[in-house]
Short mmCIF file of all heavy atoms in Angstrom, two decimals:
data_model
loop_
_atom_site.label_atom_id
_atom_site.label_comp_id
_atom_site.label_asym_id
_atom_site.label_seq_id
_atom_site.Cartn_x
_atom_site.Cartn_y
_atom_site.Cartn_z
N ASN B 280 117.20 104.34 123.43
CA ASN B 280 116.79 103.39 122.39
C ASN B 280 116.21 104.10 121.18
O ASN B 280 115.30 103.60 120.52
CB ASN B 280 115.78 102.40 122.97
CG ASN B 280 116.38 101.56 124.07
OD1 ASN B 280 117.55 101.18 124.00
ND2 ASN B 280 115.60 101.27 125.10
N ALA B 281 116.73 105.29 120.91
CA ALA B 281 116.36 106.04 119.70
C ALA B 281 117.59 106.12 118.80
O ALA B 281 118.68 106.47 119.26
CB ALA B 281 115.87 107.44 120.06
N PHE B 282 117.41 105.78 117.54
CA PHE B 282 118.51 105.75 116.57
C PHE B 282 118.26 106.83 115.53
O PHE B 282 117.22 106.83 114.87
CB PHE B 282 118.60 104.37 115.91
CG PHE B 282 118.59 103.24 116.91
CD1 PHE B 282 117.46 102.47 117.08
CD2 PHE B 282 119.70 102.98 117.69
CE1 PHE B 282 117.43 101.43 118.01
CE2 PHE B 282 119.69 101.95 118.62
CZ PHE B 282 118.55 101.18 118.79
N GLY B 283 119.21 107.74 115.40
CA GLY B 283 118.98 108.90 114.55
C GLY B 283 119.52 108.76 113.15
O GLY B 283 120.28 107.85 112.83
N PHE B 284 119.11 109.69 112.30
CA PHE B 284 119.75 109.89 111.01
C PHE B 284 119.69 111.38 110.69
O PHE B 284 119.27 112.17 111.54
CB PHE B 284 119.16 108.99 109.91
CG PHE B 284 117.68 109.13 109.67
CD1 PHE B 284 117.19 109.66 108.49
CD2 PHE B 284 116.75 108.68 110.61
CE1 PHE B 284 115.83 109.76 108.26
CE2 PHE B 284 115.39 108.77 110.39
CZ PHE B 284 114.93 109.32 109.20
N TRP B 285 120.05 111.79 109.51
CA TRP B 285 120.44 113.19 109.29
C TRP B 285 119.61 113.82 108.19
O TRP B 285 119.03 113.13 107.34
CB TRP B 285 121.93 113.24 108.95
CG TRP B 285 122.73 112.56 110.02
CD1 TRP B 285 123.24 113.12 111.13
CD2 TRP B 285 123.04 111.16 110.10
NE1 TRP B 285 123.86 112.18 111.91
CE2 TRP B 285 123.76 110.96 111.31
CE3 TRP B 285 122.78 110.06 109.28
CZ2 TRP B 285 124.23 109.72 111.71
CZ3 TRP B 285 123.24 108.81 109.68
CH2 TRP B 285 123.96 108.65 110.88
N ASP B 286 119.60 115.17 108.18
CA ASP B 286 118.77 115.85 107.19
C ASP B 286 119.34 115.74 105.78
O ASP B 286 118.66 116.08 104.81
CB ASP B 286 118.54 117.32 107.57
CG ASP B 286 119.81 118.15 107.60
OD1 ASP B 286 120.88 117.65 107.19
OD2 ASP B 286 119.74 119.33 108.02
N TRP B 287 120.57 115.22 105.66
CA TRP B 287 121.10 114.99 104.32
C TRP B 287 120.73 113.60 103.77
O TRP B 287 121.23 113.18 102.73
CB TRP B 287 122.62 115.19 104.27
CG TRP B 287 123.44 114.68 105.40
CD1 TRP B 287 123.99 115.41 106.41
CD2 TRP B 287 123.87 113.32 105.64
NE1 TRP B 287 124.72 114.60 107.26
CE2 TRP B 287 124.66 113.31 106.81
CE3 TRP B 287 123.64 112.10 104.97
CZ2 TRP B 287 125.23 112.14 107.32
CZ3 TRP B 287 124.20 110.95 105.48
CH2 TRP B 287 124.98 110.97 106.64
N VAL B 288 119.83 112.91 104.47
CA VAL B 288 119.28 111.64 103.98
C VAL B 288 117.80 111.83 103.71
O VAL B 288 117.01 111.99 104.64
CB VAL B 288 119.46 110.50 105.02
CG1 VAL B 288 118.92 109.19 104.44
CG2 VAL B 288 120.90 110.35 105.41
N GLY B 289 117.40 111.84 102.45
CA GLY B 289 115.98 111.90 102.13
C GLY B 289 115.31 110.58 102.46
O GLY B 289 115.93 109.51 102.42
N GLY B 290 114.03 110.63 102.78
CA GLY B 290 113.31 109.42 103.19
C GLY B 290 113.42 108.29 102.20
O GLY B 290 113.64 107.12 102.57
N ARG B 291 113.31 108.60 100.91
CA ARG B 291 113.33 107.54 99.90
C ARG B 291 114.74 107.01 99.66
O ARG B 291 114.91 106.05 98.90
CB ARG B 291 112.72 108.06 98.60
CG ARG B 291 113.40 109.31 98.04
CD ARG B 291 112.52 109.96 96.98
NE ARG B 291 113.04 111.21 96.47
CZ ARG B 291 112.86 112.40 97.05
NH1 ARG B 291 112.20 112.48 98.19
NH2 ARG B 291 113.33 113.50 96.49
N TYR B 292 115.73 107.63 100.29
CA TYR B 292 117.12 107.17 100.17
C TYR B 292 117.63 106.61 101.50
O TYR B 292 118.84 106.48 101.69
CB TYR B 292 118.02 108.33 99.75
CG TYR B 292 117.71 108.88 98.38
CD1 TYR B 292 116.81 109.93 98.21
CD2 TYR B 292 118.28 108.34 97.23
CE1 TYR B 292 116.51 110.44 96.96
CE2 TYR B 292 117.99 108.83 95.97
CZ TYR B 292 117.10 109.88 95.84
OH TYR B 292 116.80 110.37 94.59
N SER B 293 116.73 106.26 102.42
CA SER B 293 117.15 106.03 103.80
C SER B 293 117.13 104.58 104.26
O SER B 293 117.41 104.31 105.42
CB SER B 293 116.25 106.85 104.75
OG SER B 293 114.92 106.39 104.72
N MET B 294 116.82 103.63 103.38
CA MET B 294 116.69 102.25 103.86
C MET B 294 117.99 101.70 104.42
O MET B 294 117.99 100.77 105.23
CB MET B 294 116.16 101.33 102.76
CG MET B 294 117.09 101.15 101.58
SD MET B 294 116.59 99.80 100.51
CE MET B 294 117.20 98.40 101.42
N ASP B 295 119.14 102.28 104.01
CA ASP B 295 120.42 101.80 104.49
C ASP B 295 120.93 102.62 105.68
O ASP B 295 122.07 102.48 106.08
CB ASP B 295 121.46 101.77 103.37
CG ASP B 295 121.46 103.03 102.51
OD1 ASP B 295 120.45 103.76 102.51
OD2 ASP B 295 122.46 103.29 101.81
N SER B 296 120.04 103.46 106.25
CA SER B 296 120.33 104.16 107.49
C SER B 296 119.67 103.41 108.65
O SER B 296 119.26 102.25 108.50
CB SER B 296 119.80 105.59 107.42
OG SER B 296 118.37 105.58 107.48
N ALA B 297 119.48 104.08 109.77
CA ALA B 297 118.77 103.45 110.90
C ALA B 297 117.33 103.10 110.54
O ALA B 297 116.71 102.29 111.24
CB ALA B 297 118.80 104.39 112.11
N ILE B 298 116.81 103.68 109.48
CA ILE B 298 115.47 103.30 109.00
C ILE B 298 115.43 101.80 108.72
O ILE B 298 114.37 101.17 108.80
CB ILE B 298 115.10 104.12 107.75
CG1 ILE B 298 114.80 105.58 108.14
CG2 ILE B 298 113.91 103.52 107.02
CD1 ILE B 298 113.60 105.77 109.03
N GLY B 299 116.54 101.21 108.40
CA GLY B 299 116.60 99.78 108.15
C GLY B 299 116.76 98.93 109.40
O GLY B 299 117.11 97.75 109.29
N THR B 300 116.48 99.48 110.57
CA THR B 300 116.68 98.73 111.82
C THR B 300 115.91 97.42 111.83
O THR B 300 116.43 96.38 112.25
CB THR B 300 116.29 99.60 113.04
OG1 THR B 300 117.14 100.75 113.09
CG2 THR B 300 116.41 98.81 114.33
N SER B 301 114.67 97.44 111.36
CA SER B 301 113.89 96.19 111.33
C SER B 301 114.57 95.15 110.45
O SER B 301 114.57 93.95 110.77
CB SER B 301 112.47 96.46 110.83
OG SER B 301 112.48 97.05 109.54
N LEU B 302 115.18 95.60 109.35
CA LEU B 302 115.89 94.67 108.47
C LEU B 302 117.14 94.12 109.14
O LEU B 302 117.45 92.94 109.00
CB LEU B 302 116.25 95.37 107.16
CG LEU B 302 116.95 94.52 106.11
CD1 LEU B 302 116.05 93.38 105.64
CD2 LEU B 302 117.39 95.37 104.92
N VAL B 303 117.85 94.97 109.89
CA VAL B 303 119.03 94.49 110.61
C VAL B 303 118.64 93.40 111.60
O VAL B 303 119.32 92.39 111.74
CB VAL B 303 119.74 95.65 111.34
CG1 VAL B 303 121.03 95.13 112.00
CG2 VAL B 303 120.09 96.78 110.38
N VAL B 304 117.52 93.60 112.28
CA VAL B 304 117.03 92.58 113.21
C VAL B 304 116.72 91.29 112.46
O VAL B 304 117.04 90.18 112.92
CB VAL B 304 115.79 93.08 113.98
CG1 VAL B 304 115.17 91.96 114.81
CG2 VAL B 304 116.16 94.27 114.87
N ALA B 305 116.11 91.41 111.29
CA ALA B 305 115.67 90.23 110.55
C ALA B 305 116.83 89.42 109.98
O ALA B 305 116.84 88.19 110.07
CB ALA B 305 114.73 90.65 109.42
#
Side-chain angles (χ1 to χ4, degrees):
N280 296 324
F282 311 105
F284 57 113
W285 305 271
D286 64 7
W287 40 257
V288 182
R291 57 195 175 276
Y292 296 91
S293 66
M294 65 168 281
D295 45 340
S296 72
I298 288 295
T300 297
S301 58
L302 182 63
V303 184
V304 173

